[in-house]
Amino acid sequence: MQYNPNEIEPKWQKFWIEEKTFKAENQSEKPKFYVLDMFPYPSGAGLHVGHPLGYIASDIYSRYKKLKGFNVLHPMGYDSFGLPAEQYAIQTGQHPAITTTTNIEGGVDKQGNVIAGYENQMKKIGLGYDWDREIRTSEPEYYKWTQWIFNQLFDSYYDNSTDKAESISKLVETFKTEGNANVNAVADDDIEIFTAEQWNAYSEKEQQAILLKYRLTFLAEAEVNWCPDLGTVLANDEVINGLSERGGFPVVRKKMTQWMMRITAYADRLLTGLDKLDWPDPIKESQKNWIGKSTGASIEFQISNFDGDKIEVFTTRPDTVFGVSYVTLAPEHPLVSQITTAEHKAKVDAYVDYTSKRSERDRLADAKNITGEFTGAYAIHPFTGKQLPIWIGDYVLASYGTGAVMAVPAGDERDFAFANHFDLPIINIFKGKDISEAAFTEKGGFELQDSDFLNGLDYKQAVAKAIEALEEKGFGQGKTNFRLREAVFSRQRYWGEPVPVYFKDEMPYTIPTAALPIILPEVDEYLPTKDGEPPLGRATKWAFDTTTNEVVDNSLINNETIFPIELNTMPGWAGSSWYWLRYMDAKNDNEFVSKEAVDYWQNVDLYMGGSEHATGHLLYSRFWQKFLFDKGFVPTDEYAKKLINQGMILGMSAFAYRINGTNTFVSKGLKDQHETTPIHVDVNMLKDGGDELDTEKFKTWREDYATAEFILEDGKYITGREVEKMSKSKFNVLNPDDICNQYGADSLRLYEMFLGPVEQSKPWNTQGLSGVYSFLKKFWRLYHSGAEETFFVTEDEPTKEEMKVLHQTIKKVDEDVNNFSFNTSVSTFMIAANELGKLKTTKRAILEPLAIIISPYAPHIAEELWSKLGHETSIAHADFPVFEEKWLVADAKEYPVSFNGKMKFLLELPLSLSKDEIQEIVMNDERTIKQLGDRTPKNIIIVPGKIINIVG
């Protein structure tokens, strides 16, 4: 039987499913190992060959750890709520639940397109998941517990004294007996002090309003990214160049009442926790920058002729306070509308409108275009009493610090550029430093001048003295600040987890656990209502009966026992912020994860996924883990010990060259003879995966190409090729199913690993697959003989040479897998197959362990050979061969025998021989006698294991 992957692979994929080969037990005498892939979103486009890179790498590692005797948990599921599914539903008139299920399980969509289905594609690649643990965030059985976690957050506050989350009931007891004067908790900035007597006299609504200022999930007015076309709020990382990442629609900044998560309470712990994680340095740096810890001072500036709030500024450079020449507010700062004078109102309003259309990312990145407006108001310098003009500028963000900057042009590049652009004063407070062309930004190496009591001091001395003076005079205080802001937790969309909250007397109350899940209701449209309410405003049965704990018809709302339910849904990151825990106990109906399961699995040992989630998913999920740890629900405060970011597989795009103004296309080698425009062509139209275009397929590809003509070279149309990101828009996407059908899944797996280190991006070249496919056929022939390729393995004793090849392979693959150097393992397999082929190896003692070693990489061929070797159970249950050093230690040495430094012949001798024994054998060798003739050597130099040199 010749190697035929199309026969072998479906058989073993079916076997693994039926036998539950990769089922993990929640209790085992074996050591545990948890391998996790980042949650995929199941789009209708399915997988292209770039997607499985990380899945294949994690599968190899999982299978390897299983062979090494570990109880391995390697699950898979789907992040199936979210905006893309809803947009597709709006466009096609289908329920997102239907399209999501089709995208996962396969089928035919409303347009008649055949959808392969993510799960079918993963199984076709031979990924060894415990499919019994599959989860989908859009299933009520799952989001019941997402809602439950929301409730836990709502019922908690962060106690700075214990440095962890505590029950809100503990806070209530303190309020009842002591008031809040001595409460040291993370809370809103506008908390007012009250006594126990006052608290007990407050109405229920007043008490709930106060508690909302302490809760870890709460309602607040926030500056958000609003996308009118999508009808929802977007996270910062969902906005690119002022447009929504999904659909490219305009995004504006506006204030809205939103559900928020008080992630800032965990800012310091999120920062310090990075030190104990084996994560890539770029990921850690991204998180550190996003958290943005900085120390300095909070300074208050009074506003001239204004009785309202002062301007609070946070600065890391209080030493430069005497260099302040103006104050800049973020355009969206709440004081702007209050302090702007009538004379400047029109220009300020227009500027505020302009900046609302720019994302924070764009404003931070754009250092060239300097814009701003003068408000007409003045701040008062806290030490000198000078009048400082108050400007607004979009380089100041409301979401960072206090949304206000004390501008020191002499010491800050952006302040310097702003001051120069608008001809504002620049005070040089740095003695002997030239600031005529640029600001002096060094933290040290200077003495201060024109700085009153700070004159003559350097950076450290001045910072300390400035803070001391601010606190003494009541103008400010030393402070640690974080860039991190509260996480917006509302989406004005349909396809997401319902927020388990009802409103009584305008105050939010959580729906009790016994009533969960609150299931997403049916609506007639997925767009916001005419009144601008979210799509859930269209639901007719969306009220909560507190007496029966049931969702009932809206017509029954009486605001006494039956109340309206929240209309917003949770954001896309809700379900993905705890899914690793659900995998531990996926079918538990009574709790989100049992104590027994979480105590056994503890946390993820290896997490594999893309680096694009550095500051979204990875930060939010760490926040939830720490909260659940505080509440005693999980045993560890970090959930993933090691993280690996796989690189991208880049597409090899193809281009046809159209002669401008015609429908004639010229081959690549002739294009310079004409004025042409390169046009992407579908790489699936290239012959044999090479560079030659199938012109007939091209003509039928699109209607406007039906009359295309071609100028060929040597009878062929050769396309241009270029490495780009793999994307449908570039027509360089390849379906892994097609690769599996032509070459087999094992070829795909080996080739993706062979391309290079898993962390690096690398270009795809279909032509390279043939080499890997040829190797697998060669590997197959090691176990077969004759033209018919009949299975043939003997029980003969292997030779030392064969054992050496085997143990070199064991050693190298063992090292490679543990270093995640999967590409070099593939090379090792190829070398082993070549050497064993030359040795005509047929021995079971060599070929049986060799099948085990390659099985994580090419599991289908390995299973087939394992079965042929007489085993009834899966090769996945075998033991990885043990490396024995003795087979790599030589017991003999082939000595070069030299005469007067010139090598004349080789002599193989045992390494155990002494110097005298070597000399006796050499001097009695016929070749030595012939070389010497009648001469007597002057000296015989022998270094055992190295050289033999006869002199004279």
Side-chain angles (χ1 to χ4, degrees), residues 306-379:
F306 181 72
D307 294 331
D309 295 335
K310 299 174 184 176
I311 296 174
E312 182 189 357
V313 165
F314 172 78
T315 178
T316 59
R317 298 294 305 272
D319 57 308
T320 66
V321 66
F322 287 98
V324 180
S325 60
Y326 63 98
V327 172
T328 314
L329 302 181
E332 52 273 270
H333 194 290
L335 282 174
V336 172
S337 60
Q338 301 176 46
I339 65 174
T340 300
T341 62
E343 179 186 357
H344 295 273
K345 187 177 187 308
K347 286 185 176 181
V348 166
D349 287 350
Y351 184 70
V352 170
D353 181 64
Y354 158 73
T355 56
S356 73
K357 297 178 174 65
R358 304 189 73 206
S359 70
E360 289 188 353
R361 184 183 299 173
D362 293 341
R363 285 164 58 177
L364 279 173
D366 188 3
K368 293 182 180 179
N369 297 311
I370 300 168
T371 62
E373 286 292 340
F374 177 46
T375 64
Y378 290 84

Side-chain angles (χ1 to χ4, degrees), residues 802-819:
E802 290 171 329
M803 291 298 283
K804 181 179 179 181
V805 173
L806 173 65
H807 283 270
Q808 282 176 331
T809 306
I810 294 170
K811 183 175 187 290
K812 187 67 169 70
V813 173
D814 227 346
E815 292 170 351
D816 287 344
V817 175
N818 284 296
N819 291 324

Side-chain angles (χ1 to χ4, degrees), residues 14 401 453 598 695:
K14 184 170 181 273
F453 58 89
V598 76
T695 54

Side-chain angles (χ1 to χ4, degrees), residues 754 775 779 805-816 821-836 850 853-854 857:
F754 189 52
F775 155 70
F779 190 84
V805 173
L806 173 65
H807 283 270
Q808 282 176 331
T809 306
I810 294 170
K811 183 175 187 290
K812 187 67 169 70
V813 173
D814 227 346
E815 292 170 351
D816 287 344
S821 301
F822 305 117
N823 56 314
T824 50
S825 283
V826 181
S827 301
T828 300
F829 296 138
M830 292 175 174
I831 292 167
N834 283 335
E835 293 187 2
L836 293 174
L850 190 64
I853 298 167
I854 202 173
Y857 292 79

Side-chain angles (χ1 to χ4, degrees), residues 200-319:
N200 294 321
Y202 288 148
S203 66
E204 180 183 350
K205 181 178 181 179
E206 289 172 325
Q207 290 180 345
Q208 290 300 318
I210 291 170
L211 290 176
L212 207 55
K213 295 177 181 293
Y214 288 90
R215 297 184 188 274
L216 285 179
T217 184
F218 59 100
L219 279 170
E221 191 177 64
E223 190 84 21
V224 296
N225 301 310
W226 173 250
C227 180
D229 291 272
L230 293 177
T232 193
V233 167
L234 299 175
N236 284 336
D237 56 359
E238 295 174 314
V239 182
I240 300 173
N241 298 325
L243 302 174
S244 63
E245 183 182 33
R246 177 67 55 177
F249 300 112
V251 176
V252 298
R253 301 282 294 173
K254 66 180 291 189
K255 287 189 175 180
M256 294 178 67
T257 299
Q258 299 284 299
W259 281 104
M260 310 287 286
M261 290 278 176
R262 211 178 292 277
I263 190 174
T264 55
Y266 286 84
D268 207 45
R269 286 171 61 187
L270 287 168
L271 192 63
T272 57
L274 291 168
D275 294 337
K276 62 183 178 183
L277 297 178
D278 183 7
W279 285 19
D281 288 337
I283 292 287
K284 289 185 177 183
E285 284 305 309
S286 291
Q287 294 217 351
K288 287 176 182 177
N289 291 337
W290 197 263
I291 296 166
K293 183 177 181 178
S294 51
T295 57
S298 172
I299 305 176
E300 288 186 339
F301 289 79
Q302 283 189 320
I303 302 170
S304 184
N305 301 316
F306 181 72
D307 294 331
D309 295 335
K310 299 174 184 176
I311 296 174
E312 182 189 357
V313 165
F314 172 78
T315 178
T316 59
R317 298 294 305 272
D319 57 308

